[in-house]
Amino acid sequence: MTTRIGEHRSKAQWIGGVVLAAALCWVLVWSVHPSRAPEPAPAAPKASAQEAPPSARRAASAAAASTRAPAEDPAPIIDEIEVEKPEVCAGEENLITVRSHTTNGTDEYLHSVIGTRTGSRVPLRVWPEMDGSYEMPTISVFGRNNVVTRIEVPRYKVNACKPERIVVITHRLLPSTPGEFELTAQIVGVGLKDKPDATPFKPASYAWVFDDGGSGKTKAPFVTHSYERRPQTALVSEFLIRVEVQSEAGEKLTGRALLQIPNTMFQDLAERGIVTIAATPTPRFPRQDGDGVVRQTFRLWHHGDAPVRIDTVTAVRHYAGASSASPLEKASLSLVEIPPGQGVDVDVSLDTVREPDVFTITYILDGETAEGHAARGTFSLMKPPPAPTKESSTPVTEPVLLAKIKRARELLAQEFVTDEDIWRLEREGKMADLDGSPPPAPAP
């Protein structure tokens, strides 16, 4: 069912280590909330050798972009609201799709909220009241500077029936990644209390569609997928994730969820004329070798179509327990330019024997594109926390947890394991026999 709308207008030491680890791979170039976003600046003209030096041109370009007064933005126009089904059961998904545009050419700033869910394509669930009545949620479409147009979701019929089971997809951004998410599918029995004799649903496989051209199949109810290389041509990127769960008996259940990811690289270029240099670490968390040296590789990349020339690389050292950092100093990464596409790898290290008090080294990159835009980015190499010892740790005495730690060390071939390692193995069913109880019951 599609509802067409005319022009409707009306006037979001380890705790500190985790925080720093999140900064390892994401650039710390300034961002501005859409409600305060200035009007995009024009691309800087290509300079000749006789003009001001690159640093002066970049500073002038960034200053002009940040101080330009924003124009009054008109409210977005809602063109169409598409309702997937004319009627559903209570709690059943019904995909609502909103299409809209702006009258001043700023469609890249459009973002929507449908009910309580963000996005322009939302699998909506409506739950009637006890008396069977229900209200349609409101659709809010925001433009640049958060000017908004609101309208109610076109009414469709919500019957008193309930699906036996629904699939709920949740997601979380993995730490120390610029865009890798863990997606989890949970089967929830919503209508089973009305059907006590319903056949149990025993999941056998999960088929995932990530809405970026990728897909995957797992036996466990979760999967990881990276969206870090998504095109950043708008304020947000949207991905309608889908999972089909098949039972051992061949039955199928389907669930969907919209993943909305803010695009800070888009904001930096559109609002400040700055091309952001991103950094992806390998391994995700730093490791210290037996000789006391911390080594990590960072892949540096950007979304431009041409190479980015690197003019300067500086470094600042942070010391454990110190209230201030060292002065900026020139650093050598043997880095001349960062090509488009996959980018380039750089290796960095920290000798903890020679510099025992250094906690983090942050590298700051400054360069320029062929179009004259400033290019900036940072990444940090962090000293990992010391390995646990008998003196610094509380011994594990609980038998089941101790058995799980030993199992995880064997399965992962690691001397030390984390809570997250154990949780992941538990969800994969590799710890069920250690609980002293039968494996978890199948989904209802």
Side-chain angles (χ1 to χ4, degrees):
M1 179 172 72
T2 299
T3 300
R4 295 189 178 277
I5 308 298
E7 294 193 353
H8 287 268
R9 303 189 186 192
S10 60
K11 292 257 228 210
Q13 184 170 35
W14 185 232
I15 293 177
V18 171
V19 174
L20 283 171
L24 292 176
C25 62
W26 197 244
V27 254
L28 302 180
V29 180
W30 307 261
S31 63
V32 172
H33 191 277
S35 63
R36 297 181 280 111
E39 190 172 327
K46 202 168 183 179
S48 67
Q50 287 75 32
E51 292 177 335
S55 59
R57 296 199 307 273
R58 290 196 299 269
S61 174
S66 63
T67 59
R68 186 173 179 179
E72 188 75 20
D73 286 303
I77 304 300
I78 297 177
D79 301 306
E80 183 181 53
I81 302 172
E82 182 178 332
V83 180
E84 182 181 38
K85 304 171 187 175
E87 60 181 279
V88 294
C89 289
E92 181 183 351
E93 286 184 358
N94 202 0
L95 186 67
I96 309 299
T97 303
V98 180
R99 297 181 180 90
S100 55
H101 75 278
T102 62
T103 58
N104 62 347
T106 57
D107 286 11
E108 63 270 19
Y109 283 90
L110 289 172
H111 54 290
S112 306
V113 177
I114 302 176
T116 59
R117 302 294 182 90
T118 59
S120 63
R121 296 177 295 162
V122 171
L124 189 65
R125 301 182 192 273
V126 174
W127 300 92
E129 301 292 340
M130 295 294 293
D131 61 1
S133 64
Y134 55 90
E135 294 182 0
M136 288 291 102
T138 297
I139 298 171
S140 300
V141 178
F142 297 87
R144 188 174 60 179
N145 293 317
N146 276 349
V147 292
V148 62
T149 297
R150 290 190 173 93
I151 191 172
E152 189 178 86
V153 171
R155 196 165 186 83
Y156 57 88
K157 187 176 181 181
V158 181
N159 298 312
C161 57
K162 292 182 181 178
E164 289 185 2
R165 305 171 179 88
I166 61 175
V167 181
V168 178
I169 301 175
T170 58
H171 63 266
R172 71 182 182 102
L173 178 65
L174 294 179
S176 196
T177 70
E180 186 171 358
F181 287 80
E182 181 184 77
L183 310 171
T184 302
Q186 181 182 6
I187 301 173
V188 180
V190 294
L192 291 180
K193 64 180 181 180
D194 303 322
K195 298 180 179 180
D197 297 329
T199 304
F201 188 93
K202 300 179 180 180
S205 64
Y206 298 79
W208 302 85
V209 178
F210 304 121
D211 199 27
D212 64 347
S215 60
K217 194 169 184 178
T218 62
K219 292 184 178 180
F222 61 93
V223 70
T224 60
H225 185 71
S226 177
Y227 291 98
E228 72 173 20
R229 295 306 181 96
R230 65 191 181 278
Q232 295 206 17
T233 56
L235 185 68
V236 294
S237 292
E238 295 184 348
F239 301 95
L240 186 61
I241 301 164
R242 182 177 182 273
V243 64
E244 183 179 83
V245 187
Q246 182 168 317
S247 72
E248 294 177 355
E251 300 173 275
K252 294 181 180 180
L253 293 173
T254 300
R256 294 172 294 186
L258 186 72
L259 173 62
Q260 196 175 57
I261 310 175
N263 289 329
T264 57
M265 288 185 176
F266 162 79
Q267 283 186 282
D268 291 333
L269 181 58
E271 297 166 7
R272 299 171 188 80
I274 297 173
V275 171
T276 300
I277 301 169
T280 304
T282 303
R284 279 204 296 134
F285 297 104
R287 297 173 184 170
Q288 183 171 315
D289 297 339
D291 56 2
V293 178
V294 181
R295 295 182 174 89
Q296 203 167 16
T297 298
F298 287 84
R299 170 149 292 189
L300 307 179
W301 54 277
H302 58 86
H303 276 293
D305 296 326
V308 167
R309 188 186 73 245
I310 299 301
D311 296 326
T312 60
V313 179
T314 52
V316 58
R317 283 168 162 75
H318 301 269
Y319 296 91
S323 58
S324 60
S326 68
L328 286 173
E329 58 185 50
K330 287 188 176 182
S332 176
L333 296 178
S334 301
L335 187 62
V336 177
E337 68 175 25
I338 301 175
Q342 289 301 309
V344 62
D345 288 339
V346 295
D347 299 319
V348 291
S349 63
L350 167 61
D351 191 331
T352 63
V353 176
R354 295 176 56 189
E355 300 182 279
D357 297 327
V358 174
F359 181 66
T360 303
I361 303 177
T362 297
Y363 294 89
I364 304 166
L365 311 175
D366 185 50
E368 188 174 18
T369 69
E371 295 82 9
H373 292 296
R376 294 173 183 163
T378 71
F379 65 94
S380 298
L381 176 66
M382 185 185 73
K383 178 182 178 180
T389 64
K390 291 183 178 180
E391 294 73 26
S392 65
S393 307
T394 302
V396 175
T397 57
E398 201 280 316
V400 174
L401 179 56
L402 188 60
K404 289 182 178 181
I405 293 173
K406 291 180 178 178
R407 172 75 59 82
R409 291 174 61 185
E410 293 171 359
L411 293 175
L412 301 177
Q414 297 175 185
E415 184 178 1
F416 302 104
V417 294
T418 65
D419 288 339
E420 187 168 339
D421 292 329
I422 295 175
W423 293 335
R424 177 166 57 85
L425 293 173
E426 285 177 335
R427 285 180 295 173
E428 292 175 353
K430 296 179 180 179
M431 300 288 188
D433 61 309
L434 299 179
D435 289 323
S437 60

